[in-house]
């Protein structure tokens, strides 16, 4: 069997379909992917993946990530079980550099998450014979002579199809991480004060007068 190249095709402003090639015997959409905002944290986005052509299909998984503080960590829900993404995605540096996705059907091993083209393996050795899928996002500007927008693609090898749910969810999470900047944690307002020698304060004598205000 030959690998199958799926395309992420935009459906509405906040949703898309994962489509097989037009030449496939079954050309129906495989997955519906939609994104919505968390009402309490608008900078946090919820991605929902369902099977088939609409959001009414069987729920495959859902994850929430965004530009948030440590008070709102990223989470994922699969098979009615919710976990922190930090517990599912292991980026520990090994002798063979790879990222471990602790999926519902077992571990997947992805190449570096900083690249627009990544490879998914079934083993930490990352050998060609263990290749399950490739994720490729366009990085160049659109050609002015072409009307069609280049689509992000997911190339799935024969042994990858039985683990396609995990492959898709992990690819979406890592692409979100690659294209979203990390928020810098600020020191909380009610944090422990600095030592007197390091502290910089405004000093004035009562009564309060802006003309008397000076900086130490």
């Amino acid at each position: 069997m030959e690998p199958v190249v799926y395309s992420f095709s935009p459906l509405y402003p906040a949703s898309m379909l994962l489509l097989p090639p037009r030449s496939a015997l079954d050309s129906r959409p495989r997955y519906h992917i939609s994104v919505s905002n968390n009402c309490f944290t608008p900078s946090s986005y919820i991605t929902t993946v369902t099977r088939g052509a609409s959001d009414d299909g069987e729920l495959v998984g859902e994850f929430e990530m965004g530009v948030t503080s440590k008070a709102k960590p990223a989470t994922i829900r699969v098979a009615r079980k919710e976990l922190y993404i930090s517990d599912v995605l292991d980026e520990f540096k090994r002798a063979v550099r790879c990222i471990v996705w602790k999926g519902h059907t077992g571990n997947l091993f992805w190449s570096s998450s900083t690249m627009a083209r990544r490879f998914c393996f079934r083993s930490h050795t990352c050998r060609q014979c263990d290749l399950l899928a490739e994720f490729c996002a366009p990085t160049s500007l659109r050609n002015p002579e072409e009307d069609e927008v280049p689509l992000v693609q997911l190339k799935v090898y024969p042994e990858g199809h039985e683990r396609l749910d995990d492959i898709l969810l992990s690819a979406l999470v890592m692409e979100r991480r690659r294209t979203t900047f990390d928020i810098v944690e600020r020191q909380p307002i009610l944090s422990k004060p600095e030592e007197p020698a390091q502290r910089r304060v405004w000093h004035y004598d009562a009564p309060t007068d802006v003309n008397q205000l000076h900086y130490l």
Side-chain angles (χ1 to χ4, degrees):
M1 293 177 62
E2 295 295 321
V4 178
V5 179
Y6 296 91
S7 299
F8 292 88
S9 179
L11 183 61
Y12 298 112
S15 63
M16 58 185 174
L17 299 173
L18 186 69
L19 301 176
R22 296 177 181 177
S23 59
L25 294 178
D26 185 357
S27 59
R28 291 176 297 179
R30 294 291 188 269
Y31 298 91
H32 179 278
I33 303 161
S34 60
V35 180
S36 59
N37 293 86
N38 182 318
C39 291
F40 288 100
T41 313
S43 61
S44 187
Y45 299 91
I46 303 167
T47 299
T48 304
V49 180
T50 55
R51 212 175 304 281
S54 73
D55 57 3
D56 295 330
E58 175 192 354
L59 179 65
V60 175
E62 185 177 79
F63 64 90
E64 180 173 356
M65 300 173 65
V67 184
T68 57
S69 68
K70 291 180 180 179
K72 182 63 178 174
T75 58
I76 184 167
R77 183 167 67 94
V78 179
R80 298 184 179 181
K81 185 177 182 180
E82 188 172 31
L83 299 167
Y84 293 117
I85 286 182
S86 59
D87 292 332
V88 177
L89 194 63
D90 183 359
E91 297 184 277
F92 183 75
K93 293 184 178 179
R94 296 168 172 78
V96 178
R97 186 176 181 185
C98 60
I99 298 167
V100 181
W101 176 267
K102 301 172 185 177
H104 183 61
T105 58
N107 291 348
L108 296 174
F109 300 86
W110 283 91
S111 58
S112 173
S113 64
T114 61
M115 304 298 292
R117 186 181 184 188
R118 296 185 295 277
F119 302 89
C120 180
F121 301 87
R122 62 181 177 183
S123 168
H124 71 278
T125 57
C126 299
R127 297 175 300 177
Q128 181 68 27
C129 61
D130 294 325
L131 186 60
L132 298 177
E134 298 177 35
F135 179 88
C136 186
T139 56
S140 58
L141 296 176
R142 192 187 315 178
N143 189 329
E145 298 180 358
E146 296 180 359
D147 294 330
E148 294 187 1
V149 178
L151 300 179
V152 177
Q153 295 184 326
L154 182 65
K155 186 176 184 179
V156 182
Y157 290 82
E159 293 189 5
H161 279 91
E162 62 184 18
R163 305 188 63 184
L164 189 52
D165 289 359
D166 270 341
I167 290 173
L168 176 60
L169 283 170
S170 58
L172 291 171
V173 167
M174 287 194 291
E175 182 64 4
R176 176 77 62 81
R177 285 167 60 89
R178 184 184 76 87
T179 56
T180 304
F181 66 87
D182 293 328
I183 189 170
V184 178
E185 288 288 342
R186 301 291 184 182
Q187 187 179 25
I189 295 176
L190 299 179
S191 62
K192 180 180 178 182
E194 299 175 353
E195 294 299 325
Q198 299 175 341
R199 190 166 49 190
R200 303 174 71 192
V201 298
W202 291 101
H203 176 74
Y204 58 88
D205 296 323
T208 303
D209 187 342
V210 69
N211 296 322
Q212 297 176 336
L213 200 61
H214 61 278
Y215 192 67
L216 293 184

